[in-house]
Amino acid sequence: MKKIFLSSMVFFAIISSLNAQTTMFTSYSFNVAPKDDQTVYNLYKDYFGKKENIIKGVTVTLFQNHFKGIDDATHEVVFAGTSDAMGEAYDSPSSASWNLFQSELSKYCKDANSTSGTRLSSFGDTSKANFAIQDIILQNINDIDLFKEKFDAHWSKSLPPNTRISLGSINRKNVDGTTNYVLISYKDFKTKFNFKPTNEISQKEYGQAVKELRTYTTAHTRILLGKW
């Protein structure tokens, strides 16, 4: 898996401390024509559905993006695991089946942009259940230490059930000025559309406290298609 993705695909890495264990994420965004959606999904499912194609300790998730900006890619594939597991995945030699998988993907996928970052905080449901709907909100934050302090104080107490939320930094500043992201995960669309902090007074105070610290750059919603 040394050439773990098509050479020009987007790279998005996040390193985080979660449950006292460092976890790395690499995410690659790409564009697929609507007529090829099912074909691309089947390629991922057929390849990663085989145990011999999964590196122990690495989870693969495929998303389709919705409610997105005009410049956002249509799909994302995310690999997650400890730094050791991810290192093994990247260091292992490419197999014939992997090369064939990449060759087939190249017929339907076009690359997009790239970035990298680090998860700073995470709150909410701690079960292993899949939360299939996710909102990714990109921002330019001018004082991340102060913002994180406000973010942690509010969302550690005001997050509704069936949701998760995390804050992360982006290490390479984008052209649009994005420095950080907030990721909100929901059990389903009903939960997303009815999302409301449990403490409205705290929400107003939080909004006032961080309004001078952040500027929104872009956002999109993604739906989990498969997890292996």
Side-chain angles (χ1 to χ4, degrees):
M1 288 179 69
K2 184 176 290 184
K3 297 179 180 178
I4 196 165
F5 297 106
L6 300 176
S7 60
S8 58
M9 276 189 174
V10 166
F11 174 77
F12 177 45
I14 305 170
I15 299 176
S16 66
S17 177
L18 184 61
N19 296 328
Q21 186 177 30
T22 300
T23 301
M24 173 179 285
F25 297 84
T26 57
S27 174
Y28 296 79
S29 301
F30 52 96
N31 288 295
V32 178
K35 64 182 178 63
D36 297 323
D37 284 350
Q38 190 62 44
T39 299
V40 170
Y41 168 73
N42 288 338
L43 285 170
Y44 274 97
K45 177 181 161 184
D46 292 344
Y47 182 82
F48 289 110
K50 297 177 181 177
K51 291 183 178 180
E52 62 267 27
N53 293 331
I54 292 289
I55 298 295
K56 184 178 180 180
V58 176
T59 300
V60 183
T61 48
L62 177 65
F63 296 92
Q64 185 175 50
N65 293 328
H66 291 263
F67 311 134
K68 59 188 181 62
I70 191 171
D71 295 326
D72 294 318
T74 62
H75 290 71
E76 296 176 62
V77 61
V78 180
F79 288 61
T82 65
S83 56
D84 285 345
M86 294 290 282
E88 181 181 347
Y90 278 83
D91 287 337
S92 60
S94 301
S95 64
S97 60
W98 174 255
N99 291 333
L100 177 59
F101 172 57
Q102 287 197 106
S103 177
E104 288 299 307
L105 279 181
S106 68
K107 299 175 183 178
Y108 309 102
C109 303
K110 295 182 179 180
D111 57 354
N113 297 319
S114 65
T115 190
S116 63
T118 303
R119 182 183 296 169
L120 304 174
S121 300
S122 184
F123 302 102
D125 189 296
T126 57
S127 71
K128 293 183 179 180
N130 292 329
F131 278 38
I133 313 302
Q134 300 184 346
D135 282 338
I136 302 175
I137 306 164
L138 301 180
Q139 307 173 36
N140 181 351
I141 297 176
N142 57 52
D143 188 335
I144 186 56
D145 292 334
L146 181 58
F147 184 91
K148 181 181 181 301
E149 177 185 331
K150 304 296 184 183
F151 180 93
D152 292 356
H154 175 63
W155 290 115
S156 62
K157 300 177 181 179
S158 300
L159 195 66
N162 298 319
T163 56
R164 298 167 180 156
I165 192 168
S166 61
L167 167 69
S169 64
I170 293 176
N171 296 329
R172 191 185 72 192
K173 190 172 183 179
N174 290 345
V175 174
D176 62 8
T178 296
T179 60
N180 297 83
Y181 70 89
V182 171
L183 175 65
I184 310 175
S185 303
Y186 313 93
K187 182 179 179 181
D188 47 35
F189 267 112
K190 182 178 180 180
T191 303
K192 168 182 165 57
F193 292 146
N194 288 286
F195 179 78
K196 185 178 182 181
T198 58
N199 188 325
E200 293 187 28
I201 294 178
S202 175
Q203 177 65 22
K204 291 180 181 178
E205 293 175 346
Y206 168 70
Q208 286 295 317
V210 300
K211 70 176 183 179
E212 300 298 331
L213 301 177
R214 67 182 179 189
T215 302
Y216 293 108
T217 54
T218 188
H220 65 270
T221 299
R222 66 187 187 187
I223 300 175
L224 179 66
L225 298 179
K227 182 176 181 179
W228 303 277

